[in-house]
């Protein structure tokens, strides 16, 4: 990790494809969306959110432990920008999946009811995820290179 960040600071960074960035942003929302449609969503959705939170906090703590103050800036740029956009979307998707499961398990005959408000919420979430892809693809790499140059 240290060698990668030092090489990033020297301008010898590895570039990522657009599809890998799209997958990186959309993998957790897709997982929560799929888990929300299952019978065991009451256990699986909170477990997935817990795992996501643990992985995020563990990665941030590793950066802070390795690089002290600069590590906090690296973690903020690497994960903070994305977390500000993606984590609220995860909670919205988790809530909608759980609500769908409650309606399905309570015997609601119209479980696939899709109102305009729900469509607007999903379109807003999709727009936020597209914005997250744009930020991670265009803004984050030069910003991270700038911070890593001072290591």
């Amino acid at each position: 990790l240290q060698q990668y960040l030092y090489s990033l600071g020297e301008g010898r960074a590895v570039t990522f494809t657009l599809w890998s960035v799209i997958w990186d942003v959309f993998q957790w929302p897709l997982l929560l969306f799929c888990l929300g449609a299952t019978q065991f969503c009451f256990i699986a959705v909170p477990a997935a959110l817990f795992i996501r939170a643990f992985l995020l906090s563990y990665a941030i703590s590793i950066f802070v432990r390795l690089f002290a103050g600069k590590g906090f800036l690296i973690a903020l740029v690497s994960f903070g920008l994305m977390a500000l956009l993606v984590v609220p979307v995860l909670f919205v998707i988790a809530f909608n999946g759980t609500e769908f499961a409650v309606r399905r398990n309570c015997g609601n005959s119209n479980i696939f009811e899709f109102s305009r408000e729900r469509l607007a919420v999903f379109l807003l979430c999709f727009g936020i995820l597209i914005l997250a892809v744009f930020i991670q693809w265009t803004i984050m790499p030069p910003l991270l290179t700038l911070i890593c140059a001072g290591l």
Side-chain angles (χ1 to χ4, degrees):
L1 181 62
Q2 288 175 335
Q3 291 176 350
Y4 172 74
L5 292 175
Y6 288 137
S7 67
L8 186 63
E10 295 171 357
R12 295 181 287 135
V14 177
T15 58
F16 299 102
T17 64
L18 179 61
W19 293 112
S20 67
V21 174
I22 290 171
W23 173 248
D24 187 43
V25 171
F26 278 86
Q27 64 186 346
W28 287 98
L30 283 174
L31 175 68
L32 286 176
F33 185 78
C34 292
L35 289 175
T38 63
Q39 280 296 83
F40 58 95
C41 104
F42 297 112
I43 295 171
V45 169
L49 287 172
F50 173 77
I51 291 169
R52 173 68 174 137
F54 173 77
L55 292 174
L56 183 63
S57 65
Y58 185 76
I60 291 170
S61 67
I62 290 294
F63 280 117
V64 171
R65 176 80 170 123
L66 287 176
F67 300 105
K70 281 278 192 187
F72 178 73
L73 287 174
I74 293 170
L76 183 65
V77 169
S78 298
F79 308 115
L81 296 173
M82 298 309 300
L84 286 175
L85 294 173
V86 176
V87 169
V89 170
L90 292 178
F91 284 116
V92 168
I93 292 172
F95 172 77
N96 280 303
T98 306
E99 182 187 26
F100 175 75
V102 166
R103 286 191 292 153
R104 181 183 60 228
N105 290 333
C106 291
N108 189 347
S109 62
N110 196 8
I111 61 173
F112 294 108
E113 175 186 330
F114 209 75
S115 64
R116 289 180 189 226
E117 293 84 17
R118 186 162 300 205
L119 179 62
V121 166
F122 277 120
L123 288 176
L124 179 65
C125 288
F126 185 74
I128 290 171
L129 292 175
I130 294 297
L131 177 65
V133 167
F134 176 76
I135 288 173
Q136 189 167 354
W137 179 249
T138 59
I139 296 172
M140 194 189 74
L143 196 58
L144 192 58
T145 302
L146 181 68
I147 291 174
C148 290
L151 290 178

